[in-house]
Every structure is written in C-alpha cells, then in structure tokens.
Amino acid sequence: MRHLIDFGDLRREEWDELYARASEIIDDPGRFIDVCRGKVMASLFYEPSTRTNFSFQTAMLRLGGSVFGFADPKSSSAAKGESLKDTIKMVSGYADVIVMRTPWEGAAKAASLYSNVPVVNAGDGGHMHPTQTTADLTTMTRLLGRVDGLSIGLCGDLKNGRTVHSLIKAMEKFRGVRFFLISPRELAVPEYMRAFMRENHLPYTEVTGLEAVIPQLDVLYMTRIQRERFVDPLEYERCKGIYVLTRRKLDRAKERMLVMHPLPRVDEIAVDVDDDPRAVYFDQARYGMFARMALLADLANQPRLDRTEAVEIGTKPVCHNPRCITQTEHYLPPLVKKNGGVDCCAFCDGALG
Ligand code: NCD
C-alpha cells in the first residue's frame, strides 16, 4: 500500500498485518516509541475535526515523530487561491506522510497523484473515511474476536455518512457479514454503495425502523445526521432527531451487542446508554489512535519518490457531483472507473452520464 484513500486500497492480508501491529501496540505501546523518530507528518485539515485530527497527531507523537499543519484552512494558502496540486507539491517536499481532511469528495485521491510521499484520506466530504474504518474494525476484532459473520446495523445518515461508506467497502474483505441499513428514505445509502454491495455479494436489508431489527444485531453503528452536508436546512430539520437510542431500546438487544459511533454524537444516543457495558464508542475512539499508529509506522517510513509520474491535464469537471474535487480543480485528469458495471468518476464515485 502506498496511499490510503479508500479501504479498497488495502488487501485483506494487508489489513490483517495492520491489525496485528495495532494489537501489538495496544498490548505494549512502549515498544514503539522510536518507530517514527525523525519523521514528520503534515496534517492538512480543511474541515473541522477533533478526534481524527487529535488521534493522528497523538499517534505520530507516540511513535516519536513530529507534526505540522493547519486545522483551519483560512490559515493556509488555499485562502489565497492556491490549487490543491501546488499545496501538495510543496507540502510533500517537507513531510514524510500527508494526512488530509476536506469537504471536497475525491480530494485525497487527487492529492495522491501529485504527492512524493504517502497520502492518507482522513475524510473527503460525504464520500469516504478509511482510517475511521481501521478504528471500527480494530474495535470489533478486539471486543468480539472477529468480523466474519457479524450482523451489522448501520443507523442514521447513510447518504452523507462517510464512515458508513468506508465500513461497507471494508466488509467485502470478510466473510458472511450482513447489513441492516436503517435510515429514512431520503438519507439512504448512495446508489454507488448499493452497486458495490450487489457486486460483492454483501447481503443487505434497508429498513426505516430501528427497534424491529435491534434483536438481530451483533453491532449497532449509530451515526449523526450530517447537518453540514444538507443543501436545504428544512430537510435537515425534518430528519434530525429521527433515531435516538435509549437504554430502554437496548433491552431487546443481544447481551454482547456492541453499540458503536464514530462520534461526535449529537442526540442519537441518549446519555444513559454510556454506562451500559455494550456502549463502546469511547473505546472505539482510543482504538482509533492505535490503529493510526500502526498505519503511520508503515507509511511514514516508506521511501519518498524523487519524482511523480506526469499526469494528464484535464480541462473540465469529470462528473456532475457538485461536491467533487474536479468541480473546482479543472486541471485534474478525466479519470473514470467502473462501479457495478457503470462508469463513475474515479475521484468521488459519482455516476457519469
Ligand atoms: C466522523 C466524520 O468526520 O466523518 N467523525 C470522525 O471522524 N470521528 C463522523 C461525523 O462527523 O459524524
């Protein structure tokens, strides 16, 4: 693996190795304090973040490396109109690994075309968030002993929730996983995710009610309604508060079911759930730091490329998705890929035509 843009970049064996390393770090973090000594991580956060930003920073510091970057794009040259390509060309001259979060879908993929060092996608709009998935899989494996064969309920904003998209992507690498997709119809998973599940024979059931399916689940993955992705504020008002997990609802759940959440929570999990032993979202955030340590130990130690390959110069957006990075960075190459047999933008997965 050179970059982590999408969970599909990892083969199953690579995930197993990453998990094995994360597990060793959890068991004995002191052994890893010099693994990234002398290495520097650039942290480019064009969008708000607490957990992901802090967990990457602490991960690098705990490996003996250092960190620079910004958490507010107003303090970067993007505010002066610099292109993403130029920012990445420059930053990849300073750093050994680049971690980036953006509101634009496909931006990390775009950055990887021009970077001399590995790029990690720490969230690109409502598209993907693969390192959250490393936290999620580490949590399931540590606490349930496996991922194969689990029945997983994904609840909330499945349209805009990038953590959900990355988690679904990852499950193609495991056996016998079954999804219950719990959302209002207007916040159901995007079509490219349905195509992915069909193509990879991942069974899924789409429902609007949480309570009826709770007894069947091994994992209930709650998510926040992603307010910042709504074009129409009235639509947000209609959808907010639609699912609230309470202690009473948990009465019907399996005794060992995990309640997970990428956080931040708004109101979708009542505070009284926090003390239930099944509520593991704060442990999940901590496992995320260890999983990111395992990832950085690998990527920050890769040799830098002296030159990147010449990239075709584009002239217009690749797709119609208004949040796609190719809408603003027109020089990006017109890359297309197949999703379930349909032509899609290789940056944001948006359907073409
Ligand atoms: C998630 C994100 O940013 O997509 N948070 C995180 O990374 N821990 C989920 C969210 O913001 O709802």
Side-chain angles (χ1 to χ4, degrees), residues 51-52 101 129 132 162-163 224 226 228 261-264:
R51 248 155 314 277
T52 307
R101 164 170 291 192
H129 192 353
Q132 179 62 46
R162 54 194 173 195
T163 62
R224 164 179 81 84
Q226 307 274 304
E228 67 279 27
H261 192 306
L263 302 176

Side-chain angles (χ1 to χ4, degrees), residues 310-331:
V311 177
E312 182 184 348
I313 298 172
T315 52
K316 57 179 193 306
V318 175
C319 67
H320 306 296
N321 173 5
R323 300 194 297 218
C324 177
I325 186 71
T326 66
Q327 296 291 344
T328 49
E329 315 274 321
H330 290 176
Y331 55 84

